[in-house]
């Protein structure tokens, strides 16, 4: 069951709400990156990238490790599964509605074909 009241899910949606953080996650899907590599394509400062990575860490979407002077970040995709489960309920709803619409349209086509044959 998917809960609408989950502090963890709130943190993940909060993290995903900002386009820079989504861009960072996209970059990390290609593998581990340091903070400078994450900041550069987004044209943001190192401190700004750090701030966004902290939000992603709180949501447990990113794991950071320090190697000398480098802060290396890695994607943790597991929390995205909860988001997928939450959004899946809407996909299922709309899929059922589209199937019902398809059935109505098929019935209309059959009725129209029947009328044409009778003419």
């Amino acid at each position: 069951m998917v809960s609408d009241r989950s502090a963890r899910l709130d943190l993940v949606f909060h993290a995903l709400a900002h386009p820079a953080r989504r861009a960072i996650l996209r970059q990390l899907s290609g593998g581990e990156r340091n903070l400078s590599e994450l900041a550069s394509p987004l044209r943001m400062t190192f401190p700004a990238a750090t701030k966004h990575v902290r939000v992603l860490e709180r949501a447990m979407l990113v794991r950071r490790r320090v190697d000398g002077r480098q802060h290396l970040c890695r994607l943790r995709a597991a929390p995205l599964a909860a988001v997928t489960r939450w959004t899946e309920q809407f996909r299922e709803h709309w899929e059922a509605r589209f199937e019902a619409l398809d059935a109505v349209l098929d019935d209309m086509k059959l009725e129209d074909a029947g009328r044409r044959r009778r003419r």
Side-chain angles (χ1 to χ4, degrees):
M1 169 151 177
V2 178
S3 172
D4 287 338
R5 294 178 179 247
S6 164
R8 177 173 257 184
L9 191 58
D10 290 348
L11 287 172
V12 174
F13 275 116
H14 172 72
L16 295 175
H18 197 285
R21 292 192 284 267
R22 292 192 301 270
I24 288 171
L25 290 177
R26 198 173 308 112
Q27 289 181 65
L28 292 174
S29 69
E32 191 174 68
R33 303 271 193 276
N34 66 40
L35 282 174
S36 296
E37 292 170 327
L38 294 173
S40 179
L42 298 172
R43 296 180 183 163
M44 66 174 49
T45 63
F46 187 86
T50 299
K51 181 180 166 186
H52 287 298
V53 166
R54 276 194 202 120
V55 173
L56 293 168
E57 285 178 310
R58 272 195 298 272
M60 300 182 74
L61 289 165
V62 167
R63 175 173 286 158
R64 183 187 341 196
R65 68 182 176 90
V66 179
D67 183 16
R69 294 180 62 174
Q70 289 197 2
H71 288 233
L72 299 164
C73 299
R74 185 169 30 136
L75 177 67
R76 296 183 70 218
L80 294 173
V83 171
T84 300
R85 283 192 301 273
W86 191 83
T87 58
E88 181 68 16
Q89 61 190 320
F90 299 103
R91 188 194 62 75
E92 289 171 0
H93 167 78
W94 285 108
E95 192 172 284
R97 301 301 302 161
F98 285 128
E99 286 175 6
L101 179 60
D102 283 344
V104 169
L105 293 172
D106 287 344
D107 287 346
M108 291 173 69
K109 285 179 188 174
L110 287 173
E111 287 176 22
D112 190 44
R115 270 187 243 134
R116 288 183 186 177
R117 272 188 254 132
R118 282 182 247 143
R119 289 184 197 165

